Amino acid sequence: MSEALNETKYLFKKYKVKANKNLGQNFLIDDDALQDIVNGANINSNDLVIEIGPGLGSLTKLLLKKAKKVVCIELDKKMVKILKDRFILDKNLEIINNDVLKLDINAIIKEQKKQNLDIENVKIVANLPYYITTPIIMHLIENNLDIESITVMIQKEVAERLITIPGTKDTGAITYTIYYYCEGTKIREVDNTCFMPEPEVTSEVINLQMRKTPPVKVEDKKVFFNIIKSAYMQRRKTLINSLSNVGVFQNKEQGEKILKSIGLRVDIRPDKMRIEDFARLTEIFLKNIKNDNSQK
Ligand code: SAM
């Protein structure tokens, strides 16, 4: 029997705990899947690893063997108590009992680097609670964190949307954000039988390497991502319709002219747009605003 399964059963019994569905507690009980997450994260002996949602500590146990330091962020007090007991001898572990979305992760990293001058890179590793996967990933990538990579297990369907190339199959508004900040790769799929209790969906482990420079230049990131969001508000509509409705194009005629000028079909739908196309649209939109303002 798998070691993780044995340990999970033992801890459930010893602490009389049950998985809390409201906190997305699906514990990973498959040794190979656990090892593949750690291998996929490519952890070195001088790395600081931040683990989100350690639960009973099955992944934590493996991370502690590889990293210089592991900082775990866990919302559930009961889990924190178990983790403290289980890893009492591990001096390279710190546990923070809080909601990851409420924490200033950069402040945590700065403090760790101050305490431990040997730390070279920071890597985030997690089997994420599925009910808040997207907010957590956005919290990590939009805050300019001093991290090298994020390796997470999430719902397969979401994973595919995150790591596809914008403008190809499975593209959604979030695809552009991830692609702008990271280079994503699939590590492996994980069947629902690898968890206790079993989730209803298949999972996937992905690795996101933070880019040093973004793939496109944009003058105003906020405007760029707002245009993308507006285009995807009604993803079945043409881009012209969606962007005319929110005033990115003054009207459909102007929209047609702009799309033609950058070599795009006038009936293009948002999910056929490459990131470069949205960057060009943003550039034209900002230029038109500047021109309008200078004429006033
Ligand atoms: N890492 C463990 C494993 O692989 O077996 C548990 C993973 S379980 C899918 C998700 C974990 O995230 C749970 O332990 C849950 O209590 C924790 N969690 C849920 N919401 C959280 C939040 N907002 N902040 C931090 N941890 C959270």
Side-chain angles (χ1 to χ4, degrees):
M1 208 203 287
S2 123
E3 205 173 295
L5 174 59
N6 266 339
E7 288 167 355
T8 302
K9 282 185 172 167
Y10 168 79
L11 291 169
F12 270 173
K13 210 167 155 194
K14 177 171 176 200
Y15 290 92
K16 298 187 177 65
V17 285
K18 280 194 197 138
N20 182 340
K21 270 197 170 176
N22 293 332
L23 291 178
Q25 290 181 350
N26 298 97
F27 301 104
L28 191 51
I29 49 163
D30 183 272
D31 292 339
D32 291 339
L34 284 159
Q35 196 57 57
D36 287 343
I37 297 178
V38 178
N39 294 345
N42 193 18
I43 298 160
N44 300 312
S45 54
N46 274 343
D47 285 342
L48 163 65
V49 171
I50 300 182
E51 188 194 2
I52 300 164
L56 297 166
S58 309
L59 190 54
T60 320
K61 179 177 138 183
L62 304 181
L63 296 171
L64 282 166
K65 289 185 190 155
K66 291 249 172 185
K68 179 106 209 159
K69 178 89 190 259
V70 178
V71 174
C72 286
I73 302 167
E74 172 58 61
L75 182 58
D76 187 350
K77 271 198 185 93
K78 286 184 191 159
M79 295 296 139
V80 171
K81 157 100 180 74
I82 296 171
L83 291 164
K84 283 189 174 159
D85 283 357
R86 181 171 185 183
F87 300 112
I88 193 162
L89 297 175
D90 288 274
K91 300 291 171 237
N92 61 337
L93 174 68
E94 197 168 314
I95 303 163
I96 301 173
N97 183 199
N98 208 331
D99 177 346
V100 64
L101 295 177
K102 295 197 177 135
L103 290 173
D104 177 349
I105 312 263
N106 252 339
I108 296 174
I109 294 172
K110 257 195 197 152
E111 182 54 34
Q112 289 298 327
K113 283 192 161 178
K114 209 163 86 186
Q115 285 176 22
N116 209 325
L117 298 175
D118 294 340
I119 289 172
E120 279 171 6
N121 289 312
V122 184
K123 292 168 183 164
I124 309 243
V125 183
N127 169 15
L128 286 179
Y130 294 173
Y131 75 107
I132 43 166
T133 299
T134 310
I136 293 179
I137 292 183
M138 296 308 274
H139 182 63
L140 298 175
I141 69 169
E142 283 184 329
N143 280 318
N144 237 335
L145 297 184
D146 175 19
I147 57 173
E148 192 182 76
S149 63
I150 302 171
T151 307
V152 279
M153 169 135 64
I154 56 180
Q155 199 175 320
K156 178 175 180 254
E157 221 179 40
V158 181
E160 287 178 358
R161 176 147 293 180
L162 297 190
I163 63 168
T164 193
I165 309 279
T168 62
K169 192 175 159 269
D170 297 322
T171 300
I174 197 172
T175 312
Y176 299 87
T177 316
I178 300 292
Y179 191 81
Y180 182 83
Y181 291 104
C182 325
E183 263 178 279
T185 44
K186 171 178 174 174
I187 308 272
R188 62 165 282 180
E189 275 178 30
V190 181
D191 200 74
N192 61 347
T193 53
C194 296
F195 298 85
M196 209 167 107
E198 288 181 19
E200 276 158 23
V201 292
T202 305
S203 302
E204 189 167 308
V205 183
I206 58 168
N207 174 266
L208 304 173
Q209 289 290 325
M210 304 309 290
R211 291 184 191 274
K212 300 218 167 23
T213 43
V216 287
K217 259 196 185 162
V218 280
E219 196 184 315
D220 188 328
K221 271 197 281 186
K222 208 169 155 199
V223 171
F224 174 62
F225 289 121
N226 275 339
I227 290 179
I228 295 174
K229 264 186 215 144
S230 304
Y232 274 87
M233 290 281 263
Q234 287 159 301
R235 53 179 299 136
R236 304 261 165 258
K237 278 198 172 183
T238 59
L239 194 80
I240 288 222
N241 273 331
S242 302
L243 295 188
S244 301
N245 284 346
V246 293
V248 172
F249 297 144
Q250 283 164 5
N251 48 47
K252 289 188 185 172
E253 290 69 41
Q254 192 214 23
E256 280 192 13
K257 232 164 114 184
I258 293 176
L259 290 180
K260 278 184 188 160
S261 77
I262 55 175
L264 295 173
R265 288 173 61 123
V266 295
D267 61 351
I268 192 165
R269 289 177 201 277
D271 55 0
K272 292 282 173 293
M273 291 283 285
R274 300 168 314 148
I275 197 164
E276 295 83 357
D277 301 328
F278 274 117
R280 281 287 285 133
L281 274 191
T282 308
E283 195 185 321
I284 294 170
F285 174 70
L286 290 171
K287 203 168 107 196
N288 287 343
I289 288 183
K290 273 184 205 154
N291 284 345
D292 288 352
N293 286 343
S294 67
Q295 278 163 20
K296 274 180 196 161

